[in-house]
Amino acid sequence: MPLPLLAIPVLHSSGAWIAYAGSGYLAGTLSTTWVGALILGNTTLFTSIGLVSTAGIAAASGVLAGFGASAAAGLGTALTAVGLGSVASWMGIAPAATFLGFTAVGWSLMGVGAIALALCAVFTRRTMKKLNEERAKGGLETINVRQLVAEVRAYEVDAMWKVLQKLAKKDSTLQLKGSDAEISIGGRTFSIKKLRYRINKDGSEKIGYVNRLGRFVSVYLVKGPDGPEGPGPLPA
């Protein structure tokens, strides 16, 4: 797989951040935060290695803020409304093809430090220099590749927690643990940092995790393919 053209967040005239690549801004990447614009500008890269799922995209684009009263409707409609419907599909699932020599299984087993080391082939010194120059313009501190990966990962986990929190308000089968690090789904406990939000091609939306074989295991149905089915836990 060829290395992607990285998009670098730059300050927009509105005061927000927007991803810039090649010779111009990338449509649909305006975000209130630096990391949000970074995620929106590099969705292919970050989703292909499982760092980000639909939850992170929704948070970065601002549509997660409206995910509440109509939570059972899922995030797909909201993302489509802002032009991100296509990039939201199948997010959180590492593709079968290898990326930087790693299979889906390889990426699913790697921690933040190992992923950062592998991504040094993409985030070169020249790229990081330019990225940090733009961060400085926004009053942000210089970061390295490991810190960048950690920030993206933390953003995704926080977005996933917010999705689960809103769903839990309407579904008693979801119970957030006191530490905010785990959630009980239909009596089974899961680490929130391992969960991903996926929009399937049939229109259904599910929460699950990538197992050690690189397969997505669904544990909660947010919305069925035709809309009315869900939300609710899925059988083990």
Side-chain angles (χ1 to χ4, degrees):
M1 180 182 291
L3 297 181
L5 176 64
L6 289 175
I8 295 176
V10 299
L11 276 176
H12 188 261
S13 57
S14 65
W17 292 87
I18 190 168
Y20 185 97
S23 60
Y25 297 141
L26 298 181
T29 64
L30 190 68
S31 182
T32 58
T33 64
W34 177 87
V35 67
L38 179 73
I39 288 172
L40 291 175
N42 298 283
T43 53
T44 299
L45 171 62
F46 293 144
T47 58
S48 70
I49 61 178
L51 271 181
V52 172
S53 76
T54 300
I57 297 298
S61 62
V63 304
L64 184 56
F67 184 72
S70 59
L75 287 169
T77 301
L79 286 168
T80 298
V82 296
L84 292 172
S86 60
V87 294
S89 64
W90 64 268
M91 278 190 176
I93 317 306
T98 60
F99 183 75
L100 295 181
F102 294 94
T103 63
V105 177
W107 284 112
S108 68
L109 296 176
M110 294 170 68
V112 169
I115 290 176
L117 182 62
L119 288 183
C120 283
V122 180
F123 291 97
T124 62
R125 289 186 178 181
R126 180 179 179 181
T127 298
M128 290 304 296
K129 179 181 179 181
K130 176 62 177 175
L131 183 146
N132 279 313
E133 287 175 349
E134 297 300 330
R135 278 177 61 88
K137 294 176 183 178
L140 301 178
E141 296 181 354
T142 298
I143 61 172
N144 56 34
V145 179
R146 182 186 179 113
Q147 292 168 326
L148 180 150
V149 171
E151 189 168 344
V152 170
R153 187 74 192 97
Y155 190 88
E156 164 68 20
V157 173
D158 181 67
M160 195 70 247
W161 183 85
K162 289 176 180 176
V163 166
L164 293 168
Q165 181 188 43
K166 292 184 178 185
L167 286 170
K169 290 181 179 179
K170 293 184 173 295
D171 187 352
S172 61
T173 65
L174 289 173
Q175 296 183 351
L176 288 162
K177 302 293 185 176
S179 64
D180 294 337
E182 295 181 329
I183 187 169
S184 173
I185 302 178
R188 293 186 289 164
T189 299
F190 299 94
S191 168
I192 293 177
K193 70 179 181 180
K194 293 184 178 180
L195 295 178
R196 301 289 190 278
Y197 193 115
R198 173 177 179 174
I199 298 178
N200 297 302
K201 292 183 178 180
D202 65 2
S204 62
E205 302 183 26
K206 298 177 180 179
I207 291 172
Y209 62 91
V210 179
N211 66 15
R212 288 181 175 272
L213 296 178
R215 185 174 70 87
F216 185 77
V217 180
S218 301
V219 299
Y220 190 85
L221 177 67
V222 179
K223 184 179 77 69
D226 297 321
E229 183 185 6
L234 294 167

